[in-house]
Amino acid sequence: MIRKPNPLLIEFLDKNIPLPSIDWETVPLGVNPMDAWEMYDETVEGWVPVWFPTIDRNSGRSYGEFERAQLFNDDLERILKAMNRWPLWGSPQQKKYAAAFALLQLFCETKALCTLV
């Protein structure tokens, strides 16, 4: 069975659209954006990044594939809403940039390097 990427990542995953430039002063120390923007598991629904949690940190319970994909989607939507980019709008390049910055924020939140928005 072929797994589909999260619809919010369609433009982001398009290699023909360039990634945004980074203002390094806004990136937490020691974070490489490529770590947040690469490493998608194409074998799971939603192509959830490998760095996204697989267990509930409070209970230790493992997430199922579809639950994890839904949690990932919910977090992306939450961040895009905080960026005033929900629903995702604009040109393919603008959508890729918004998704890239949302992923970077989510990566930082996941690694406890920045606060939740």
Side-chain angles (χ1 to χ4, degrees):
M1 179 153 115
I2 296 173
R3 304 293 192 202
K4 295 180 183 177
N6 184 305
L8 297 174
L9 299 178
I10 298 300
E11 287 82 8
F12 178 78
L13 295 169
D14 186 340
K15 299 293 184 197
N16 295 317
I17 304 171
L19 285 166
S21 59
I22 296 293
D23 178 0
W24 288 101
E25 293 177 2
T26 64
V27 178
L29 187 64
V31 172
N32 179 354
M34 289 302 152
D35 292 342
W37 294 341
E38 296 179 353
M39 301 182 295
Y40 292 86
D41 189 347
E42 298 175 21
T43 65
V44 299
E45 188 64 29
W47 291 21
V48 178
V50 296
W51 48 261
F52 193 75
T54 57
I55 61 168
D56 182 317
R57 290 187 175 127
N58 295 327
S59 70
R61 182 181 63 82
S62 293
Y63 296 129
E65 174 181 351
F66 295 101
E67 180 182 19
R68 187 167 172 246
Q70 185 61 51
L71 291 169
F72 175 65
N73 185 77
D74 292 348
D75 280 340
L76 281 179
E77 285 184 18
R78 173 182 54 81
I79 294 167
L80 288 166
K81 285 176 185 174
M83 295 170 54
N84 294 316
R85 293 296 311 233
W86 182 254
L88 199 53
W89 53 269
S91 70
Q93 185 174 28
Q94 290 170 322
K95 289 179 182 178
K96 182 167 188 160
Y97 284 20
F101 288 110
L103 286 166
L104 186 56
Q105 174 67 29
L106 182 55
F107 178 82
C108 290
E109 290 177 4
T110 300
K111 302 293 182 186
L113 299 171
C114 58
T115 58
L116 273 70
V117 292

